[in-house]
């Protein structure tokens, strides 16, 4: 019987297993995860789990019975220390070894850490895993002054939850606006107003010099000398792909594990999927490393198809989302190379969209609180529809007719 080992226990790993089971894969599946928890969803950790609208049980993708019934062997709470491609085995932190015929890296990503005096204090948190989220939740329920370092999605989502708990929240950001790497300044300004109207304070063009305190924070010192009260600190400095295991084993690495359009690495029967990969996207005509649930799910389906020897080329337009307060931001496509931005809807009504195009070809769409038209927009971006700015801006234009 063929032996398949999957390293990682996140969205990509579980979706790969689901796809294999659905197609009656006959091999033996083993999943290795370095956390003791059953595989769980990460997006709610900075949103619903922190504000108690999503309980812990709802985070898990599947109950233990699912893995038992489908004969999936779980090795949880152990790390993979090394991968031997020549002898086809992996060594675990408990000194055991697992043989494989095929191997999947679904190793995801890890937080980018910052080093400065006081960064090691208690109640200085990064948010990547369930244990992190539980520690943060405890502090949010007991502290008064929260400092968030980084105004990306994670930082702003945590800031929103904390503001709704009536904490004094300050966000420190090195750039000059929120979400500066991913959205247009119009959306940055909109979300800045949203947060400020909910009591959040911001300090832009600033970095952290030091966190002062004994065992726990008392204040954060910024690069310009400003001192901000803090009982707890959340650092959201971005994430980086977990590639060390693959790289040490001889797998090709370049800002992620390099894979082809079928999810295979430069070694036969060795695959990768999810946040950890750098993969070709023919729709966008470039290689990408994406940090999104959508990519993790769809690319893992591609890997499952390759394992089943019915290869299906991975070709997806990326999309993302962020929930802050009662606002939903949804993004499809990559807008970086646009020459025109067209607004549809009314920002003052908290329901609008931005359409990014180049030479009238639609590249990407950002949507605020308009999920219905966003679904249509995903199809428009995928088909690279030529758009007329005046027509798009007209709210009476039926976007369906543009497909």
């Amino acid at each position: 019987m063929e032996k398949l080992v999957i390293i990682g226990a996140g969205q990509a790993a579980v979706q790969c297993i689901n796809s294999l089971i659905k197609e009656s894969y006959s091999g033996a599946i083993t999943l290795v995860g370095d956390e003791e928890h059953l595989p769980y969803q990460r997006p709610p950790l900075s949103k619903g789990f922190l504000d108690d609208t999503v309980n812990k049980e709802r985070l898990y993708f599947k109950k233990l019975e699912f893995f038992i019934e489908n004969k999936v062997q779980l090795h949880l709470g152990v790390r993979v220390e090394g991968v031997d491609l020549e002898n086809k085995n992996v060594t675990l932190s408990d000194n055991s070894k697992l043989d494989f015929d095929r191997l999947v890296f679904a190793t995801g990503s890890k937080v980018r850490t910052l080093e400065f005096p006081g960064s090691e204090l208690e109640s200085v948190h990064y948010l990547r895993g369930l244990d992190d989220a539980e520690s943060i939740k405890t502090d949010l329920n007991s502290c008064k002054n929260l400092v968030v370092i980084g105004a990306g999605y994670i930082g702003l989502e945590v800031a929103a939850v904390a503001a709704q708990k009536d904490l004094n929240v300050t966000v420190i950001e090195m750039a000059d606006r929120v979400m500066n790497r991913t959205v247009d300044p119009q959306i940055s300004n909109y979300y800045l107003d949203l947060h400020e109207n909910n009591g959040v304070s911001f300090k832009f063009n600033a970095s952290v010099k030091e966190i002062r305190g004994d065992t726990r924070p008392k204040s954060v010192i910024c690069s310009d000398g400003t001192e901000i009260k803090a009982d707890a600190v959340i650092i959201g400095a971005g994430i980086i792909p977990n590639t060390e295991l693959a790289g040490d084993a001889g797998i090709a690495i370049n800002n992620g594990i390099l894979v082809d359009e079928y999810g295979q690495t430069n070694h036969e029967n060795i695959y990768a999927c999810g946040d950890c990969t750098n993969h070709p996207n023919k729709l966008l005509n470039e290689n990408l490393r994406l940090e999104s649930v959508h990519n993790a799910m769809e690319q893992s389906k591609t890997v499952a198809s390759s394992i089943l020897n019915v290869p299906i080329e991975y070709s997806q337009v990326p999309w993302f989302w962020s929930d802050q307060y009662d606002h939903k931001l949804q993004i499809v496509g990559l807008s970086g190379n646009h020459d025109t931005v067209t607004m549809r809807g009314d920002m003052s009504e908290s329901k609008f969209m931005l359409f990014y195009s180049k030479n009238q070809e639609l590249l990407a769409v950002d949507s605020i609180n308009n999920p219905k038209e966003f679904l249509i927009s995903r199809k428009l971006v995928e088909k690279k529809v030529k758009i007329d700015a005046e027509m798009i801006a007209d709210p009476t234009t039926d976007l369906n007719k543009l497909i």
Side-chain angles (χ1 to χ4, degrees), residues 319-386:
W319 71 275
F320 319 85
W321 83 90
S322 176
D323 293 323
Q324 299 170 41
Y325 306 101
D326 57 351
H327 284 54
K328 180 175 284 293
L329 168 63
Q330 295 172 289
I331 299 172
V332 60
L334 300 177
S335 61
N337 199 28
H338 68 275
D339 57 25
T340 304
V341 181
T342 304
M343 181 176 290
R344 177 181 175 87
D346 191 339
M347 188 178 290
S348 66
E349 295 180 358
S350 299
K351 184 178 180 180
F352 65 98
M353 307 173 81
L354 294 185
F355 286 70
Y356 302 86
S357 59
K358 183 174 184 180
N359 299 324
Q360 293 192 309
E361 183 179 291
L362 186 60
L363 302 177
V365 177
D366 295 347
S367 170
I368 308 292
N369 298 329
N370 194 351
K372 183 178 180 181
E373 290 196 327
F374 177 75
L375 287 175
I376 303 170
S377 298
R378 285 176 58 183
K379 297 177 182 177
L380 296 176
V381 173
E382 182 178 348
K383 293 180 178 296
K384 300 182 178 181
V385 169
K386 292 281 186 178

Side-chain angles (χ1 to χ4, degrees), residues 199-236:
V200 179
S201 299
F202 287 84
K203 187 167 181 57
F204 294 107
N205 301 305
S207 59
V208 174
K209 180 180 178 181
E210 178 185 0
I211 299 177
R212 289 181 181 168
D214 298 323
T215 58
R216 301 167 67 93
K218 291 184 178 178
S219 65
V220 173
I221 310 301
C222 297
S223 49
D224 63 0
T226 302
E227 185 170 359
I228 303 168
K229 285 184 179 180
D231 306 312
V233 177
I234 312 293
I235 301 176

Side-chain angles (χ1 to χ4, degrees), residues 287-311:
N287 262 56
L288 301 172
R289 187 178 69 79
L290 297 172
E291 301 161 2
S292 75
V293 169
H294 173 251
N295 174 65
M297 290 181 64
E298 296 303 323
Q299 194 177 37
S300 59
K301 293 176 184 178
T302 292
V303 166
S305 295
S306 296
I307 292 169
L308 293 163
N309 297 314
V310 284

Side-chain angles (χ1 to χ4, degrees), residues 65 146 302 312 345 378 399:
E65 289 76 17
L146 175 71
T302 292
I312 300 174
R378 285 176 58 183
L399 296 183

Side-chain angles (χ1 to χ4, degrees), residues 170-308:
T170 303
V171 178
I172 301 171
E173 169 58 47
M174 292 183 66
D176 60 357
R177 60 187 178 91
V178 306
M179 300 183 288
N180 72 300
R181 291 191 304 114
T182 54
V183 300
D184 185 83
Q186 295 177 89
I187 290 183
S188 290
N189 292 335
Y190 179 83
Y191 271 89
L192 175 62
D193 289 343
L194 175 63
H195 279 274
E196 288 184 333
N197 289 337
N198 280 275
V200 179
S201 299
F202 287 84
K203 187 167 181 57
F204 294 107
N205 301 305
S207 59
V208 174
K209 180 180 178 181
E210 178 185 0
I211 299 177
R212 289 181 181 168
D214 298 323
T215 58
R216 301 167 67 93
K218 291 184 178 178
S219 65
V220 173
I221 310 301
C222 297
S223 49
D224 63 0
T226 302
E227 185 170 359
I228 303 168
K229 285 184 179 180
D231 306 312
V233 177
I234 312 293
I235 301 176
I239 57 178
I240 52 180
N242 283 318
T243 61
E244 290 83 1
L245 270 177
D248 290 346
I251 303 294
I253 305 294
N254 183 9
N255 184 30
I257 301 172
L258 289 173
V259 296
D260 62 17
E261 62 270 33
Y262 302 105
Q264 183 166 285
T265 68
N266 59 321
H267 284 258
E268 187 178 6
N269 295 328
I270 310 296
Y271 310 89
C273 50
D275 286 11
C276 64
T277 70
N278 186 331
H279 59 276
N281 187 304
K282 290 188 177 180
L283 287 172
L284 301 176
N285 197 31
E286 60 179 305
N287 262 56
L288 301 172
R289 187 178 69 79
L290 297 172
E291 301 161 2
S292 75
V293 169
H294 173 251
N295 174 65
M297 290 181 64
E298 296 303 323
Q299 194 177 37
S300 59
K301 293 176 184 178
T302 292
V303 166
S305 295
S306 296
I307 292 169
L308 293 163

Side-chain angles (χ1 to χ4, degrees), residues 20 105 182 247:
L20 290 169
F105 288 92
T182 54

